[in-house]
Amino acid sequence: MGPRLGAEFLAAIGTIEAFASPDHLASYAGLAPVPRDSGKTTGRHHRPYRYNRQLRRVMYLSALNSIRFCPESRTYFDKKKAEGKRGNAAVMALARRRTNVLWALIRDNRAWSPTPPHIALPIPDSAPAAAYCAHSAGLH
């Protein structure tokens, strides 16, 4: 996402504290399907009637650009197409995935990097640190 779409994204969401989870943000953007069940008919989903159109546009354009320039996004898009989704549905699935990533990045106050951050495992108080590290690395 470039600087212009990033600015539009931040302007559309206001503050991340307004959204308890990435699901809430996706619902606000209109990227989370809503069930359209009645009587015996179940499992039909559609786009919600109330959503932020500006945010949906930002996420859609971001997904389109990422398909062109990001190999991971292109792989995800191709996987969704192979599952039988049509083009626009696959783009919207990618937009939903990107919404989850953006929410986590803003929540953790960090920049995106192609490799995930290293998360240290907690060391139990009863075990010596050297023995624990050797055990968790498979060196025992």
Side-chain angles (χ1 to χ4, degrees), residues 13-60:
I13 67 166
T15 176
I16 197 69
E17 286 81 24
F19 306 101
S21 70
D23 297 334
H24 288 139
L25 180 58
S27 177
Y28 181 68
L31 298 173
V34 177
R36 185 189 289 175
D37 298 342
S38 70
K40 296 179 181 177
T41 305
T42 60
R44 294 178 51 191
H45 293 84
H46 67 96
R47 184 179 68 227
Y49 295 115
R50 296 171 51 188
Y51 60 93
N52 187 313
R53 281 142 179 83
Q54 178 186 8
L55 184 56
R56 184 177 170 94
R57 177 189 154 276
V58 165
M59 296 311 301
Y60 178 78

CSV table of all heavy atoms in Angstrom, one decimal, residues 13-60:
chain,number,residue,atom,x,y,z
A,13,ILE,N,-10.4,4.9,8.8
A,13,ILE,CA,-10.6,4.1,10.1
A,13,ILE,C,-10.5,5.0,11.3
A,13,ILE,O,-11.1,4.6,12.4
A,13,ILE,CB,-9.6,2.9,10.2
A,13,ILE,CG1,-8.2,3.4,10.4
A,13,ILE,CG2,-9.8,2.0,9.1
A,13,ILE,CD1,-7.3,2.3,10.9
A,14,GLY,N,-9.9,6.1,11.2
A,14,GLY,CA,-9.8,7.0,12.4
A,14,GLY,C,-8.7,6.4,13.3
A,14,GLY,O,-7.5,6.5,13.0
A,15,THR,N,-9.1,5.7,14.3
A,15,THR,CA,-8.2,5.1,15.3
A,15,THR,C,-8.5,3.6,15.3
A,15,THR,O,-9.6,3.2,15.3
A,15,THR,CB,-8.3,5.8,16.7
A,15,THR,OG1,-7.5,5.1,17.6
A,15,THR,CG2,-9.7,5.7,17.2
A,16,ILE,N,-7.4,2.9,15.5
A,16,ILE,CA,-7.5,1.4,15.5
A,16,ILE,C,-8.2,0.9,16.8
A,16,ILE,O,-8.8,-0.2,16.8
A,16,ILE,CB,-6.1,0.7,15.3
A,16,ILE,CG1,-6.2,-0.7,14.9
A,16,ILE,CG2,-5.3,0.8,16.6
A,16,ILE,CD1,-6.8,-0.9,13.5
A,17,GLU,N,-8.2,1.7,17.8
A,17,GLU,CA,-8.9,1.3,19.0
A,17,GLU,C,-10.4,1.1,18.9
A,17,GLU,O,-11.1,0.5,19.7
A,17,GLU,CB,-8.6,2.3,20.2
A,17,GLU,CG,-7.2,2.1,20.7
A,17,GLU,CD,-6.1,2.9,19.9
A,17,GLU,OE1,-6.5,3.8,19.2
A,17,GLU,OE2,-5.0,2.5,20.0
A,18,ALA,N,-10.9,1.7,17.8
A,18,ALA,CA,-12.4,1.6,17.5
A,18,ALA,C,-12.7,0.2,17.1
A,18,ALA,O,-13.9,-0.2,17.1
A,18,ALA,CB,-12.8,2.6,16.5
A,19,PHE,N,-11.7,-0.7,16.8
A,19,PHE,CA,-12.0,-2.0,16.3
A,19,PHE,C,-11.3,-3.0,17.2
A,19,PHE,O,-10.1,-3.0,17.3
A,19,PHE,CB,-11.4,-2.2,14.8
A,19,PHE,CG,-12.0,-1.1,13.9
A,19,PHE,CD1,-11.2,0.0,13.6
A,19,PHE,CD2,-13.3,-1.2,13.4
A,19,PHE,CE1,-11.7,1.0,12.7
A,19,PHE,CE2,-13.8,-0.2,12.5
A,19,PHE,CZ,-13.0,0.9,12.2
A,20,ALA,N,-12.1,-3.9,17.8
A,20,ALA,CA,-11.6,-4.8,18.8
A,20,ALA,C,-10.9,-6.0,18.1
A,20,ALA,O,-10.0,-6.6,18.7
A,20,ALA,CB,-12.8,-5.4,19.6
A,21,SER,N,-11.1,-6.2,16.8
A,21,SER,CA,-10.5,-7.3,16.2
A,21,SER,C,-10.4,-7.0,14.7
A,21,SER,O,-11.1,-6.1,14.2
A,21,SER,CB,-11.2,-8.6,16.4
A,21,SER,OG,-12.5,-8.6,15.7
A,22,PRO,N,-9.6,-7.8,13.9
A,22,PRO,CA,-9.6,-7.6,12.5
A,22,PRO,C,-10.9,-7.9,11.8
A,22,PRO,O,-11.2,-7.4,10.8
A,22,PRO,CB,-8.5,-8.5,12.0
A,22,PRO,CG,-8.2,-9.4,13.1
A,22,PRO,CD,-8.6,-8.8,14.3
A,23,ASP,N,-11.7,-8.8,12.5
A,23,ASP,CA,-13.0,-9.1,11.9
A,23,ASP,C,-13.9,-7.9,12.0
A,23,ASP,O,-14.7,-7.6,11.0
A,23,ASP,CB,-13.7,-10.2,12.7
A,23,ASP,CG,-12.9,-11.5,12.6
A,23,ASP,OD1,-12.2,-11.7,11.6
A,23,ASP,OD2,-12.9,-12.3,13.5
A,24,HIS,N,-13.8,-7.1,13.0
A,24,HIS,CA,-14.6,-5.8,13.1
A,24,HIS,C,-14.2,-4.8,12.0
A,24,HIS,O,-15.1,-4.2,11.4
A,24,HIS,CB,-14.5,-5.2,14.5
A,24,HIS,CG,-15.2,-6.0,15.5
A,24,HIS,ND1,-14.7,-6.2,16.8
A,24,HIS,CD2,-16.4,-6.6,15.6
A,24,HIS,CE1,-15.5,-6.9,17.5
A,24,HIS,NE2,-16.6,-7.2,16.8
A,25,LEU,N,-12.9,-4.7,11.8
A,25,LEU,CA,-12.4,-3.8,10.8
A,25,LEU,C,-12.9,-4.3,9.4
A,25,LEU,O,-13.3,-3.5,8.5
A,25,LEU,CB,-10.9,-3.7,10.8
A,25,LEU,CG,-10.3,-2.8,9.8
A,25,LEU,CD1,-10.8,-1.4,9.9
A,25,LEU,CD2,-8.7,-2.9,9.9
A,26,ALA,N,-12.8,-5.6,9.1
A,26,ALA,CA,-13.3,-6.1,7.8
A,26,ALA,C,-14.8,-5.9,7.7
A,26,ALA,O,-15.3,-5.6,6.6
A,26,ALA,CB,-12.9,-7.6,7.7
A,27,SER,N,-15.5,-6.1,8.7
A,27,SER,CA,-17.0,-5.8,8.6
A,27,SER,C,-17.3,-4.4,8.3
A,27,SER,O,-18.2,-4.1,7.5
A,27,SER,CB,-17.6,-6.2,10.0
A,27,SER,OG,-19.0,-6.0,9.9
A,28,TYR,N,-16.5,-3.5,9.0
A,28,TYR,CA,-16.7,-2.0,8.7
A,28,TYR,C,-16.4,-1.7,7.3
A,28,TYR,O,-17.0,-0.8,6.7
A,28,TYR,CB,-15.8,-1.3,9.7
A,28,TYR,CG,-15.8,0.2,9.5
A,28,TYR,CD1,-17.0,0.9,9.9
A,28,TYR,CD2,-14.8,1.0,9.1
A,28,TYR,CE1,-17.1,2.3,9.8
A,28,TYR,CE2,-14.8,2.3,9.0
A,28,TYR,CZ,-16.0,3.0,9.3
A,28,TYR,OH,-16.0,4.4,9.2
A,29,ALA,N,-15.4,-2.4,6.7
A,29,ALA,CA,-15.0,-2.2,5.3
A,29,ALA,C,-15.9,-2.9,4.3
A,29,ALA,O,-15.8,-2.7,3.1
A,29,ALA,CB,-13.6,-2.6,5.1
A,30,GLY,N,-16.8,-3.7,4.8
A,30,GLY,CA,-17.7,-4.5,3.9
A,30,GLY,C,-17.0,-5.7,3.3
A,30,GLY,O,-17.5,-6.2,2.2
A,31,LEU,N,-16.0,-6.2,3.9
A,31,LEU,CA,-15.3,-7.3,3.4
A,31,LEU,C,-15.7,-8.7,4.1
A,31,LEU,O,-15.2,-9.7,3.7
A,31,LEU,CB,-13.8,-7.1,3.6
A,31,LEU,CG,-13.2,-5.9,2.8
A,31,LEU,CD1,-11.7,-5.7,3.2
A,31,LEU,CD2,-13.3,-6.1,1.3
A,32,ALA,N,-16.5,-8.6,5.1
A,32,ALA,CA,-17.0,-9.8,5.8
A,32,ALA,C,-18.4,-10.1,5.3
A,32,ALA,O,-19.3,-9.3,5.4
A,32,ALA,CB,-17.0,-9.5,7.3
A,33,PRO,N,-18.6,-11.3,4.8
A,33,PRO,CA,-19.9,-11.6,4.2
A,33,PRO,C,-20.9,-11.7,5.4
A,33,PRO,O,-20.6,-12.1,6.5
A,33,PRO,CB,-19.7,-12.9,3.5
A,33,PRO,CG,-18.5,-13.5,4.1
A,33,PRO,CD,-17.6,-12.3,4.6
A,34,VAL,N,-22.2,-11.4,5.0
A,34,VAL,CA,-23.3,-11.4,6.0
A,34,VAL,C,-24.2,-12.5,5.5
A,34,VAL,O,-24.5,-12.6,4.3
A,34,VAL,CB,-24.0,-10.1,6.0
A,34,VAL,CG1,-25.2,-10.1,6.9
A,34,VAL,CG2,-23.0,-9.0,6.4
A,35,PRO,N,-24.7,-13.4,6.4
A,35,PRO,CA,-25.6,-14.4,6.0
A,35,PRO,C,-27.0,-13.9,5.5
A,35,PRO,O,-27.5,-12.9,6.0
A,35,PRO,CB,-25.8,-15.3,7.2
A,35,PRO,CG,-25.4,-14.5,8.3
A,35,PRO,CD,-24.4,-13.4,7.8
A,36,ARG,N,-27.5,-14.5,4.4
A,36,ARG,CA,-28.8,-14.2,3.9
A,36,ARG,C,-29.6,-15.5,4.0
A,36,ARG,O,-30.0,-16.1,3.0
A,36,ARG,CB,-28.7,-13.7,2.5
A,36,ARG,CG,-30.0,-13.2,1.9
A,36,ARG,CD,-29.9,-13.0,0.4
A,36,ARG,NE,-29.2,-11.7,0.2
A,36,ARG,CZ,-28.9,-11.3,-1.0
A,36,ARG,NH1,-29.2,-12.0,-2.1
A,36,ARG,NH2,-28.1,-10.2,-1.2
A,37,ASP,N,-29.9,-15.9,5.2
A,37,ASP,CA,-30.7,-17.1,5.4
A,37,ASP,C,-32.1,-16.8,5.7
A,37,ASP,O,-32.5,-15.8,6.3
A,37,ASP,CB,-30.1,-17.9,6.6
A,37,ASP,CG,-28.7,-18.3,6.4
A,37,ASP,OD1,-28.2,-18.3,5.3
A,37,ASP,OD2,-28.0,-18.6,7.4
A,38,SER,N,-33.0,-17.7,5.2
A,38,SER,CA,-34.4,-17.6,5.5
A,38,SER,C,-35.1,-18.9,5.4
A,38,SER,O,-34.9,-19.6,4.3
A,38,SER,CB,-35.1,-16.5,4.6
A,38,SER,OG,-35.2,-17.0,3.3
A,39,GLY,N,-35.8,-19.3,6.4
A,39,GLY,CA,-36.5,-20.6,6.3
A,39,GLY,C,-35.6,-21.8,6.1
A,39,GLY,O,-34.7,-22.0,6.9
A,40,LYS,N,-35.7,-22.5,5.0
A,40,LYS,CA,-34.9,-23.7,4.8
A,40,LYS,C,-33.6,-23.3,4.1
A,40,LYS,O,-32.7,-24.1,4.0
A,40,LYS,CB,-35.7,-24.7,3.9
A,40,LYS,CG,-36.9,-25.2,4.6
A,40,LYS,CD,-37.7,-26.2,3.7
A,40,LYS,CE,-38.9,-26.7,4.4
A,40,LYS,NZ,-39.7,-27.5,3.5
A,41,THR,N,-33.5,-22.1,3.5
A,41,THR,CA,-32.3,-21.7,2.8
A,41,THR,C,-31.2,-21.3,3.8
A,41,THR,O,-31.4,-20.3,4.5
A,41,THR,CB,-32.6,-20.6,1.8
A,41,THR,OG1,-33.7,-21.0,1.0
A,41,THR,CG2,-31.4,-20.3,1.0
A,42,THR,N,-30.1,-21.9,3.8
A,42,THR,CA,-29.0,-21.5,4.7
A,42,THR,C,-27.7,-21.5,3.9
A,42,THR,O,-27.5,-22.1,2.8
A,42,THR,CB,-28.8,-22.5,5.9
A,42,THR,OG1,-28.6,-23.8,5.3
A,42,THR,CG2,-30.1,-22.5,6.7
A,43,GLY,N,-26.7,-20.8,4.4
A,43,GLY,CA,-25.3,-20.8,3.8
A,43,GLY,C,-25.1,-19.8,2.7
A,43,GLY,O,-24.1,-19.8,2.1
A,44,ARG,N,-26.2,-18.9,2.5
A,44,ARG,CA,-26.0,-17.9,1.4
A,44,ARG,C,-25.5,-16.6,2.1
A,44,ARG,O,-26.0,-16.2,3.1
A,44,ARG,CB,-27.3,-17.7,0.7
A,44,ARG,CG,-27.8,-18.9,-0.1
A,44,ARG,CD,-29.1,-18.6,-0.7
A,44,ARG,NE,-29.1,-17.4,-1.5
A,44,ARG,CZ,-30.2,-16.8,-2.0
A,44,ARG,NH1,-31.4,-17.4,-1.8
A,44,ARG,NH2,-30.1,-15.7,-2.6
A,45,HIS,N,-24.4,-16.1,1.5
A,45,HIS,CA,-23.8,-14.9,2.1
A,45,HIS,C,-23.8,-13.8,1.0
A,45,HIS,O,-23.7,-14.1,-0.2
A,45,HIS,CB,-22.4,-15.1,2.6
A,45,HIS,CG,-22.4,-16.0,3.7
A,45,HIS,ND1,-22.4,-17.4,3.6
A,45,HIS,CD2,-22.3,-15.8,5.1
A,45,HIS,CE1,-22.3,-18.0,4.8
A,45,HIS,NE2,-22.3,-17.0,5.7
A,46,HIS,N,-23.9,-12.5,1.5
A,46,HIS,CA,-23.8,-11.4,0.6
A,46,HIS,C,-23.0,-10.3,1.2
A,46,HIS,O,-22.7,-10.3,2.4
A,46,HIS,CB,-25.2,-10.9,0.1
A,46,HIS,CG,-26.0,-10.4,1.3
A,46,HIS,ND1,-26.1,-9.0,1.5
A,46,HIS,CD2,-26.7,-10.9,2.3
A,46,HIS,CE1,-26.8,-8.8,2.6
A,46,HIS,NE2,-27.2,-10.0,3.0
A,47,ARG,N,-22.8,-9.2,0.4
A,47,ARG,CA,-22.1,-8.0,1.0
A,47,ARG,C,-23.1,-7.3,1.9
A,47,ARG,O,-24.3,-7.2,1.6
A,47,ARG,CB,-21.7,-7.1,-0.2
A,47,ARG,CG,-20.9,-5.9,0.3
A,47,ARG,CD,-20.4,-5.1,-0.9
A,47,ARG,NE,-21.6,-4.5,-1.5
A,47,ARG,CZ,-21.8,-4.5,-2.8
A,47,ARG,NH1,-21.0,-5.0,-3.6
A,47,ARG,NH2,-22.9,-3.9,-3.3
A,48,PRO,N,-22.6,-6.8,3.0
A,48,PRO,CA,-23.5,-6.0,3.9
A,48,PRO,C,-24.0,-4.8,3.2
A,48,PRO,O,-23.4,-4.2,2.3
A,48,PRO,CB,-22.7,-5.7,5.1
A,48,PRO,CG,-21.3,-5.8,4.6
A,48,PRO,CD,-21.3,-6.8,3.5
A,49,TYR,N,-25.2,-4.3,3.7
A,49,TYR,CA,-25.7,-3.1,3.2
A,49,TYR,C,-25.0,-1.8,3.7
A,49,TYR,O,-24.9,-0.8,3.0
A,49,TYR,CB,-27.2,-3.0,3.5
A,49,TYR,CG,-28.0,-4.1,2.8
A,49,TYR,CD1,-28.7,-5.0,3.5
A,49,TYR,CD2,-28.1,-4.1,1.4
A,49,TYR,CE1,-29.4,-6.0,2.9
A,49,TYR,CE2,-28.8,-5.1,0.8
A,49,TYR,CZ,-29.5,-6.1,1.5
A,49,TYR,OH,-30.2,-7.1,0.9
A,50,ARG,N,-24.6,-1.9,5.0
A,50,ARG,CA,-24.0,-0.8,5.6
A,50,ARG,C,-22.5,-1.0,5.8
A,50,ARG,O,-22.1,-1.9,6.5
A,50,ARG,CB,-24.6,-0.5,7.0
A,50,ARG,CG,-26.1,-0.1,6.8
A,50,ARG,CD,-26.8,-0.1,8.2
A,50,ARG,NE,-26.0,0.7,9.1
A,50,ARG,CZ,-26.4,0.7,10.4
A,50,ARG,NH1,-27.4,0.1,10.9
A,50,ARG,NH2,-25.6,1.5,11.2
A,51,TYR,N,-21.7,-0.3,5.1
A,51,TYR,CA,-20.2,-0.4,5.2
A,51,TYR,C,-19.6,0.9,4.8
A,51,TYR,O,-20.2,1.7,4.1
A,51,TYR,CB,-19.7,-1.6,4.5
A,51,TYR,CG,-19.9,-1.6,3.0
A,51,TYR,CD1,-19.0,-1.1,2.1
A,51,TYR,CD2,-21.1,-2.1,2.5
A,51,TYR,CE1,-19.2,-1.0,0.8
A,51,TYR,CE2,-21.3,-2.1,1.1
A,51,TYR,CZ,-20.4,-1.6,0.3
A,51,TYR,OH,-20.6,-1.5,-1.1
A,52,ASN,N,-18.3,1.1,5.0
A,52,ASN,CA,-17.6,2.3,4.6
A,52,ASN,C,-17.1,2.1,3.2
A,52,ASN,O,-16.2,1.3,3.0
A,52,ASN,CB,-16.4,2.5,5.6
A,52,ASN,CG,-15.8,3.8,5.3
A,52,ASN,OD1,-15.4,4.2,4.2
A,52,ASN,ND2,-15.5,4.6,6.4
A,53,ARG,N,-17.7,2.8,2.3
A,53,ARG,CA,-17.3,2.6,0.9
A,53,ARG,C,-15.9,3.1,0.5
A,53,ARG,O,-15.2,2.5,-0.3
A,53,ARG,CB,-18.4,3.2,0.0
A,53,ARG,CG,-19.6,2.4,-0.2
A,53,ARG,CD,-20.9,3.2,-0.2
A,53,ARG,NE,-22.1,2.4,-0.3
A,53,ARG,CZ,-22.7,1.8,0.6
A,53,ARG,NH1,-22.2,1.8,1.9
A,53,ARG,NH2,-23.8,1.0,0.5
A,54,GLN,N,-15.5,4.1,1.2
A,54,GLN,CA,-14.1,4.6,1.0
A,54,GLN,C,-13.1,3.6,1.4
A,54,GLN,O,-12.1,3.3,0.7
A,54,GLN,CB,-13.9,5.9,1.8
A,54,GLN,CG,-12.5,6.5,1.6
A,54,GLN,CD,-12.3,7.7,2.5
A,54,GLN,OE1,-13.2,8.0,3.4
A,54,GLN,NE2,-11.2,8.4,2.4
A,55,LEU,N,-13.3,3.0,2.6
A,55,LEU,CA,-12.4,2.0,3.1
A,55,LEU,C,-12.4,0.7,2.2
A,55,LEU,O,-11.4,0.1,1.9
A,55,LEU,CB,-12.7,1.6,4.5
A,55,LEU,CG,-11.8,0.6,5.2
A,55,LEU,CD1,-10.4,1.1,5.2
A,55,LEU,CD2,-12.3,0.3,6.6
A,56,ARG,N,-13.6,0.3,1.7
A,56,ARG,CA,-13.6,-0.8,0.8
A,56,ARG,C,-12.9,-0.5,-0.5
A,56,ARG,O,-12.2,-1.4,-1.0
A,56,ARG,CB,-15.1,-1.2,0.5
A,56,ARG,CG,-15.3,-2.4,-0.4
A,56,ARG,CD,-16.8,-2.7,-0.5
A,56,ARG,NE,-17.0,-3.7,-1.5
A,56,ARG,CZ,-17.1,-5.0,-1.2
A,56,ARG,NH1,-17.1,-5.4,0.0
A,56,ARG,NH2,-17.4,-5.9,-2.2
A,57,ARG,N,-13.0,0.7,-1.0
A,57,ARG,CA,-12.3,1.1,-2.2
A,57,ARG,C,-10.8,1.0,-2.0
A,57,ARG,O,-10.0,0.5,-2.8
A,57,ARG,CB,-12.7,2.5,-2.6
A,57,ARG,CG,-12.0,3.0,-3.8
A,57,ARG,CD,-12.3,4.5,-4.0
A,57,ARG,NE,-11.3,5.1,-4.7
A,57,ARG,CZ,-10.2,5.6,-4.2
A,57,ARG,NH1,-10.0,5.5,-2.9
A,57,ARG,NH2,-9.2,6.2,-4.9
A,58,VAL,N,-10.3,1.5,-0.9
A,58,VAL,CA,-8.9,1.5,-0.5
A,58,VAL,C,-8.4,0.1,-0.5
A,58,VAL,O,-7.3,-0.2,-1.1
A,58,VAL,CB,-8.6,2.2,0.8
A,58,VAL,CG1,-7.2,2.0,1.3
A,58,VAL,CG2,-8.8,3.7,0.6
A,59,MET,N,-9.1,-0.8,0.2
A,59,MET,CA,-8.6,-2.2,0.3
A,59,MET,C,-8.7,-2.9,-1.0
A,59,MET,O,-7.8,-3.7,-1.3
A,59,MET,CB,-9.5,-2.9,1.3
A,59,MET,CG,-9.3,-2.4,2.8
A,59,MET,SD,-7.6,-2.1,3.3
A,59,MET,CE,-7.0,-3.7,3.2
A,60,TYR,N,-9.7,-2.6,-1.9
A,60,TYR,CA,-9.8,-3.2,-3.2
A,60,TYR,C,-8.6,-2.8,-4.1
A,60,TYR,O,-7.9,-3.6,-4.7
A,60,TYR,CB,-11.1,-2.8,-3.8
A,60,TYR,CG,-11.3,-3.4,-5.2
A,60,TYR,CD1,-11.6,-4.7,-5.4
A,60,TYR,CD2,-11.1,-2.6,-6.4
A,60,TYR,CE1,-11.8,-5.2,-6.7
A,60,TYR,CE2,-11.2,-3.1,-7.6
A,60,TYR,CZ,-11.6,-4.4,-7.8
A,60,TYR,OH,-11.7,-4.9,-9.1
